[in-house]
Amino acid sequence: MPVLVYTENAGGKFKKSIFEVVSYAKAIADAQSTTLTAISIGDVSADDLALLGKYGADKVLNVSADKLKNFVNQAYASVIAEAAKSEGADIVVLSNSFSGRGLAPRVGAKLDAGVADGAVSLPELSGGKFSIKKTAFSGKAFAVVELTSAKKVIALTPNSYQVVDKGTSAKVEDFSVDVKESDFKAMLKEIVRSTDKISLPDADIVVSGGRGLKGPENWGMVEELANLLGAATACSKPVSDAGWRPHSEHVGQTGIAVSPNLYIAIGISGAIQHLAGISRSKVIVVINKDPEAPFFKVADYGIVGDAFEVVPKLIEAVKAYKATA
Amino acid sequence: MKILVCISNVPDTTTKITFTSNNTQFNAAGVQFILNPYDEIALARAIELTDGGNGTVTVINVGDVGTEPTIRKALAIGATDAVRVNAVAHDAWFVAKQIAEYAKANAFDLILTGRESIDYNGSKVAAMVGELLDIPSVSIIKKLDISGSHATVEREIEGGKEILSIPLPFIAGTAEGVAEPKIPNMRGIMSARTKPLQVIEPVDVALNLEVTAYETPAPRGQVKLVSADETAKLVDLLHTEAKVI
Ligand SMILES: Cc1cc2nc3c(=O)[nH]c(=O)nc-3n(C[C@H](O)[C@H](O)[C@H](O)COP(=O)(O)OP(=O)(O)OC[C@H]3O[C@@H](n4cnc5c(N)ncnc54)[C@H](O)[C@@H]3O)c2cc1C
């Protein structure tokens, strides 16, 4: 029985986090000595579907019905559950993305499966047990959950698993399912994408600003640094509460939890609620004028200094580095 | 309009998280429990939507008697009445089953939860209840307006948002932007003591998940300080040592 992986697309394209999910699901399939079937729903080109094979899918089910072109939570959950049944898959893997968080629990309920949300590691299989590590307490800890049901749904946290290029290819099949009319009650009116920016949950590098930056008019240097590094911008809670930045940029225990390779915190004190959301970053750089700021205790690199002097200098240094690289 | 708001009782955001019994139990000693911050947003919006006698707001919590201070807080903020399902909240599936059972017997026009609880962060209850009731669910919303029998909601997606139109009834998980949390006033605190809090017994649930252990993140090494005049050195360290740029 194959493992099934749902490969969500954004405007017909797969993001890096989806290749992570495919690689992760492939590793699970390998450990179970079985194959990997991917299911894609929407308007994805043949070339893009072929990429799923490259990262480990043996077979791709392509659902391209007009009614299913745009994401409808209820209908997509039905399609994924039906695909799991028709493939005989006991394990369904998807991304713990915004959409994935709406799908995984519904698919789980349909299949009578336990749901491991926010997974950050491969399943541990020992003594007939199936256990997965997930983030808990908003990044302050991890919980190991054992799924005791025969069927299992796993939602993988982005940036938790390395993409592995298998160089293989998949056969693509059309797949169609009858979805009941009442699954289409929620109607999409409009999608608004900020195309000029890197999305925060997907970013490899994040440049984040706090109240130390004094006001929204000072974010120019934060954005300039982010642009140079190909980074997303973020902020602390008081900054978004004050309306200096949008809520979608607020990271922390009550905001978005991020796990980039590099997190640069500028003028942020490092309150426990902020640290919760960024503790899984690989490398942390802190710029703060107060040497006693708690953020320095969890940072890998730090500069004690006034952001209004340090950041412009850092921008120059990055420019110089890029000119020689 | 009848609105049901699902609330959870979670450790205060300032809590330093520790475990006991060989890292198998959450250490609740000395921990202050609060109304989950995202649920405060759901509650605040529900109160706004029913303002001026335009409906009722029932809060429901699955928990033992120890969660009653948090339930009373929700009543003080402005909920009309409350229900406590008398059981320890084993996991999201257990909680969703209890809520769905109650909601089936008491038709609601709208059910709200917070986008996630800040202890297990599952974002699962809303979608599970949605599935159990066979109604639409939206996991993370940033805006919620109702006009007649339809709602317009904004849903968060990576790098943007979707705007949806959904007929009532449905269930949604609220995030920042939906409403500002409300602080109870003196009158609210007084009246909360006498507002109805019904205690009901749980239904049986076939469990499918157990938390078997906890871990805390590995501590980081000592910070490497670079002087404010040496930004080039920092860039070099990030390139050659940390290998992140
Ligand atoms: C229920 C609850 C939930 C919360 N959730 C979150 C959350 O999810 N995320 C979050 O971020 N916070 C959260 N908070 C708020 C948190 O407690 C802190 O208040 C907040 O993180 C502080 O933000 P800050 O560091 O930007 O501001 P401050 O604490 O004001 O710190 C500003 C920092 O900037 C430095 N600074 C000032 N001027 C300069 C300069 N010129 N150059 C360099 N440095 C300078 C100062 O030394 C200081 O360290 C929450 C609080 C509560 C009660």
Side-chain angles (χ1 to χ4, degrees):
Chain A
M1 284 178 287
V3 169
L4 183 73
V5 59
Y6 166 61
T7 53
E8 139 187 6
N9 69 76
K13 295 279 170 204
F14 298 122
K15 290 188 182 164
K16 180 174 143 264
S17 60
I18 294 309
F19 300 135
E20 291 166 8
V21 173
V22 176
S23 298
Y24 174 82
K26 176 64 176 171
I28 295 176
D30 284 347
Q32 308 272 332
S33 311
T34 185
T35 57
L36 178 65
T37 300
I39 177 162
S40 166
I41 312 174
D43 211 354
V44 182
S45 71
D47 284 351
D48 286 296
L49 290 173
L51 288 173
L52 302 175
K54 188 161 129 75
Y55 297 109
D58 298 287
K59 180 163 120 183
V60 177
L61 303 176
N62 182 32
V63 182
S64 58
D66 274 347
K67 275 187 94 164
L68 292 163
K69 286 237 147 67
N70 287 312
F71 180 77
V72 192
N73 186 55
Q74 241 178 317
Y76 273 40
S78 292
V79 173
I80 296 166
E82 284 311 312
K85 285 180 196 160
S86 93
E87 288 289 296
D90 283 343
I91 301 175
V92 179
V93 182
L94 32 69
S95 168
N96 202 57
S97 62
F98 287 115
S99 298
R101 269 178 268 189
L103 287 171
R106 287 197 89 119
V107 173
K110 281 177 194 291
L111 297 175
D112 254 328
V115 181
D117 56 273
V120 294
S121 74
L122 281 170
E124 190 75 48
L125 307 163
S126 71
K129 292 189 170 160
F130 190 102
S131 303
I132 294 187
K133 188 156 98 170
K134 63 153 283 180
T135 54
F137 298 99
S138 307
K140 291 179 185 171
F142 299 99
V144 178
V145 297
E146 185 194 339
L147 299 181
T148 53
S149 48
K151 296 197 171 143
K152 295 152 180 88
V153 173
I154 306 170
L156 178 72
T157 300
N159 282 331
S160 304
Y161 197 80
Q162 211 61 43
V163 175
V164 186
D165 186 342
K166 292 274 179 186
T168 44
S169 64
K171 66 172 191 289
V172 179
E173 292 174 7
D174 284 328
F175 184 73
S176 62
V177 198
D178 278 331
V179 180
K180 66 180 193 301
E181 204 45 48
S182 62
D183 276 359
F184 292 95
K185 280 185 194 151
M187 282 243 308
L188 179 67
K189 292 270 168 207
E190 195 185 342
I191 304 181
V192 185
R193 277 187 219 280
S194 38
T195 43
D196 57 326
K197 278 192 168 172
I198 294 175
S199 109
L200 180 56
D202 296 322
D204 286 329
I205 302 179
V206 174
V207 180
S208 190
R211 200 146 55 177
L213 290 176
K214 311 274 187 297
E217 66 282 4
N218 297 325
W219 245 261
M221 60 184 189
V222 174
E223 281 178 334
E224 187 178 356
L225 181 59
N227 281 339
L228 279 169
L229 293 170
T233 50
C235 66
S236 65
K237 179 172 156 63
V239 165
S240 62
D241 283 349
W244 298 357
R245 302 296 294 177
H247 281 309
S248 55
E249 287 196 4
H250 155 202
V251 296
Q253 186 160 14
T254 53
I256 290 180
V258 293
S259 47
N261 287 333
L262 175 60
Y263 185 83
I264 303 177
I266 306 167
I268 306 177
S269 57
I272 185 167
Q273 297 100 339
H274 187 84
L275 299 182
I278 59 106
S279 63
R280 291 185 57 250
S281 306
K282 212 167 105 194
V283 173
I284 296 173
V285 173
V286 170
I287 299 167
N288 195 306
K289 69 175 181 192
D290 173 9
E292 300 301 322
F295 223 139
F296 285 113
K297 294 207 172 63
V298 299
D300 300 287
Y301 301 98
I303 294 181
V304 177
D306 188 328
F308 297 97
E309 286 165 27
V310 176
V311 178
K313 281 187 196 158
L314 183 56
I315 288 170
E316 289 316 310
V318 173
K319 280 185 183 159
Y321 158 75
K322 292 191 80 164
T324 59
Chain B
M1 182 159 53
K2 271 180 75 183
I3 305 180
L4 181 66
V5 178
C6 313
I7 60 171
S8 78
N9 184 49
V10 296
D12 176 53
T13 59
T14 55
T15 309
K16 191 167 180 303
I17 303 294
T18 59
F19 305 101
T20 59
S21 313
N22 200 16
N23 283 334
T24 59
Q25 300 291 324
F26 170 64
N27 183 6
V31 172
Q32 172 82 31
F33 281 81
I34 57 165
L35 176 56
N36 183 41
Y38 293 115
D39 303 349
E40 286 189 337
I41 297 172
L43 179 60
R45 188 64 188 136
I47 292 167
E48 287 169 6
L49 288 169
T50 54
D51 203 23
N54 179 31
T56 57
V57 179
T58 301
V59 291
I60 185 167
N61 168 258
V62 180
D64 62 20
V65 68
T67 68
E68 288 197 1
T70 290
I71 300 175
R72 291 280 173 209
K73 165 103 186 271
L75 290 170
I77 291 171
T80 318
D81 60 351
V83 178
R84 179 171 67 81
V85 182
N86 188 27
V88 173
H90 179 272
D91 72 334
W93 178 235
F94 180 86
V95 169
K97 278 279 213 183
Q98 307 305 333
I99 293 169
E101 206 61 32
Y102 178 78
K104 266 181 209 163
N106 300 270
F108 289 95
D109 302 299
L110 176 67
I111 308 179
L112 296 177
T113 71
R115 62 172 273 185
E116 66 193 59
S117 63
I118 61 165
D119 48 5
Y120 290 96
N121 314 100
S123 303
K124 293 195 284 196
V125 170
M128 284 174 172
V129 171
E131 184 59 31
L132 291 166
L133 298 176
D134 199 20
I135 56 172
S137 57
V138 198
S139 293
I140 300 174
I141 63 169
K142 316 204 283 189
K143 211 162 180 288
L144 166 64
D145 289 306
I146 293 181
S147 144
S149 62
H150 275 71
T152 303
V153 308
E154 282 184 22
R155 177 175 91 87
E156 179 132 31
I157 57 173
E158 284 76 8
K161 63 183 178 190
E162 282 184 4
I163 302 165
L164 308 167
S165 167
I166 314 178
L168 303 177
F170 68 94
I171 180 163
T174 58
E176 284 173 319
V178 169
E180 284 300 322
K182 293 190 192 308
I183 295 156
N185 57 27
M186 210 48 214
R187 216 183 52 167
I189 293 166
M190 296 305 286
S191 68
R193 295 190 195 146
T194 53
K195 282 181 180 173
L197 193 172
Q198 189 193 353
V199 180
I200 59 175
E201 290 307 312
V203 293
D204 281 344
V205 176
L207 298 174
N208 52 31
L209 182 152
E210 295 294 332
V211 176
T212 53
Y214 295 96
E215 286 174 28
T216 37
R220 282 173 198 267
Q222 185 76 20
V223 59
K224 211 174 245 185
L225 289 178
V226 176
S227 97
D229 300 319
E230 293 181 305
T231 52
K233 186 175 162 200
L234 175 65
V235 172
D236 186 54
L237 285 167
L238 291 175
H239 176 62
T240 54
E241 189 177 82
K243 299 190 169 53
V244 287
I245 59 171

